[in-house]
Amino acid sequence: MTPRNCLVTGASRGIGSVIAGRLSAAGHRVALTARGADQLAEVAAKLSGPSLCLPADVTDPAAVDNVFSTVEDAWGPVEVLVLNAGAAVAKPMAKLTDDEWYGQLELNLTAPFRAMRRAIPAMTRSNWGRIVVIASIAGKIGEPNLSAYTASKHGVIGLMRAAAAELAKTGVTVNAVCPGYVDTPMTDGWVGKIAARTGKDRAEIRTALEHKQPIRRLITADEVADVVDLCVASAAITGQAITVDGGAVQS
């Protein structure tokens, strides 16, 4: 494949860092953004090709615009956009605050919208582009104690579908990857919060998450990256929310 200019959000750890590594190994130029500068530098040091470390808060519109402008000044327009930044607030709906609700929508739905809006004009001008949103199986089913996260992930899948339909004739594809429970620091954080709230043993909680998936283990970040690779390579896959969860949600 022709080397492309890639931007990966939430690239400092977990799924995002693995995706960045895959894109770099495939010969692409990879710009990394997340809030942690030190962690971004550690990821970039392991990449095999050109990279840019661009610390930013993706919920800040000015910061996002600056990230895109920096990539454009260095390499040209973003051609592959992987929207991985996200987080979850785990608590019963009755205890969820307005600030937590709006924070989840801002990070998991509005930030991807702003990044897509910024990337699309250049992609359509060149008649080529790939946008991949890392969503969740929570975008397809209801998850208890994750109401704001679930709503935001349902929303971002709807956003992806609308964008894919709008851009179908332009050479730009838009897809979502919907992992189940993945072996990442984010899942470790969930386990810790559940343990603190319930008093249960962390190992017991982790096993329960593993058993939610028929393959009886957590998904690996590499298995999520496999599907991102497919979405980047294919011009015929668009408007899809591809589930990677060991068979828990069959769709």
Side-chain angles (χ1 to χ4, degrees), residues 71 130 220:
V71 175
R130 300 288 184 265
T220 69

Side-chain angles (χ1 to χ4, degrees), residues 1-6 22-30 49-50 80 232:
M1 178 181 283
T2 303
R4 302 289 183 178
N5 303 328
C6 307
R22 289 287 192 90
L23 291 170
S24 182
H28 303 301
R29 296 170 289 272
V30 185
V80 176
V232 172

Side-chain angles (χ1 to χ4, degrees), residues 119-194:
I120 284 169
M123 289 182 175
T124 56
R125 282 194 298 270
S126 67
N127 298 309
W128 198 96
R130 300 288 184 265
I131 299 172
V132 184
V133 180
I134 306 303
S136 169
I137 58 166
K140 295 188 172 186
I141 60 173
E143 281 287 325
N145 301 314
L146 289 171
S147 56
Y149 181 76
T150 297
S152 66
K153 292 300 186 179
H154 273 71
V156 84
I157 289 174
L159 173 68
M160 173 275 295
R161 288 171 173 158
E166 186 173 324
L167 300 172
K169 296 180 181 179
T170 69
V172 180
T173 67
V174 192
N175 292 287
V177 181
C178 301
Y181 291 96
V182 185
D183 192 3
T184 63
M186 182 174 173
T187 298
D188 290 339
W190 282 358
V191 169
K193 290 173 183 176
I194 295 169

Side-chain angles (χ1 to χ4, degrees), residues 62-84:
V64 170
D65 186 62
N66 183 62
V67 165
F68 275 87
S69 295
T70 303
V71 175
E72 289 162 354
D73 290 344
W75 298 335
V78 172
E79 298 166 291
V80 176
L81 175 62
V82 181
L83 298 164
N84 174 69

Side-chain angles (χ1 to χ4, degrees), residues 90-97 100-101 143-148:
K91 62 167 59 176
M93 188 184 300
K95 295 184 178 180
L96 196 70
T97 68
E100 289 167 334
W101 170 262
E143 281 287 325
N145 301 314
L146 289 171
S147 56

Side-chain angles (χ1 to χ4, degrees), residues 9 19-20 33 42 44 48-49 77 88-90 102 104 108 138 143 149 151 158 161 168 192 210 226-227 235:
T9 73
I19 291 169
T33 190
E42 291 175 5
S48 57
V89 174
Y102 288 120
Q104 291 281 272
N108 297 329
E143 281 287 325
Y149 181 76
R161 288 171 173 158
E210 292 170 351
D226 288 341
V227 182

